Amino acid sequence: MPIDRLDARLVALFADEPRIGVYEASRRLGVARGTVQARLDRLQRLGIVTGFGPDVDTAALGYPVTTFVEIEIAQGSRSDLMLDELRGIPEVIEAHTITGRSDLLVRVVAASNRDLQRVVDQLVRVPGIERTSTLVVLDTPIPHRVMPLVEATPAD
């Protein structure tokens, strides 16, 4: 496993308090400041820790409607150009290539249902997109989370 218990405690501490600082983290964890810095550097180098930025609530930002849009791509279309166009739509906040009937699963936010229609209209105009199907999120009882996984991962 790429992390041990100290790494997991370190990640949990920074997840709870991203602005804590290396010195305070070392004090709370009972390890040297250099140890904390070296471990953070290693976790970033391995791609396990990908950032310390603020988490943003899209609803509080003015986009309370969250949807998942399944996209079918026309065979033979240039997916790189299509993905560049999708990146240009600010309301597209995540995209995954998937298996099954659709080719992409895209998370889209909107200011309202009417605004969602505008965004979907924008999506279907992207060259290479053949068909979409939109699923509206009613509630999010389990938001995106990784800490239970981090806590379950450490090697002894």
Side-chain angles (χ1 to χ4, degrees):
M1 288 285 122
I3 68 171
D4 61 16
R5 291 196 191 288
L6 179 56
D7 290 331
R9 290 176 53 217
L10 180 63
V11 170
L13 182 58
F14 273 92
D16 288 342
E17 300 178 57
R19 297 172 54 168
I20 190 172
V22 172
Y23 175 76
E24 180 61 19
S26 69
R27 191 184 70 72
R28 289 199 199 171
L29 295 172
V31 297
R33 182 195 170 287
T35 300
V36 169
Q37 188 64 60
R39 285 179 177 251
L40 281 175
D41 291 346
R42 181 179 59 83
L43 292 167
Q44 286 180 290
R45 190 174 54 255
L46 291 172
I48 294 169
V49 171
T50 58
F52 297 90
D55 293 330
V56 176
D57 182 326
T58 55
L61 190 61
Y63 298 90
V65 177
T66 298
T67 66
F68 289 93
V69 180
E70 294 178 329
I71 296 176
E72 292 179 38
I73 301 171
Q75 297 300 308
S77 64
R78 295 270 318 265
S79 63
D80 57 334
L81 297 176
M82 184 202 54
L83 290 172
D84 285 343
E85 293 246 3
L86 291 178
R87 284 184 191 98
I89 301 171
E91 295 85 357
V92 172
I93 60 173
E94 192 174 5
H96 303 272
T97 56
I98 59 172
T99 62
R101 183 175 178 177
S102 299
D103 302 300
L104 281 175
L105 182 64
V106 178
R107 185 161 47 142
V108 171
V109 295
S112 64
N113 287 344
R114 175 173 277 148
D115 187 47
L116 174 60
Q117 183 63 59
R118 177 192 59 79
V119 176
V120 170
D121 290 346
Q122 219 176 340
L123 289 173
V124 297
R125 285 194 300 268
V126 171
I129 292 182
E130 197 167 272
R131 181 172 294 120
T132 66
S133 176
T134 304
L135 304 148
V136 177
V137 173
L138 300 176
D139 190 19
T140 307
I142 302 174
H144 177 78
R145 65 193 185 128
V146 294
M147 289 316 300
L149 187 60
V150 168
E151 291 163 359
T153 299
D156 288 323

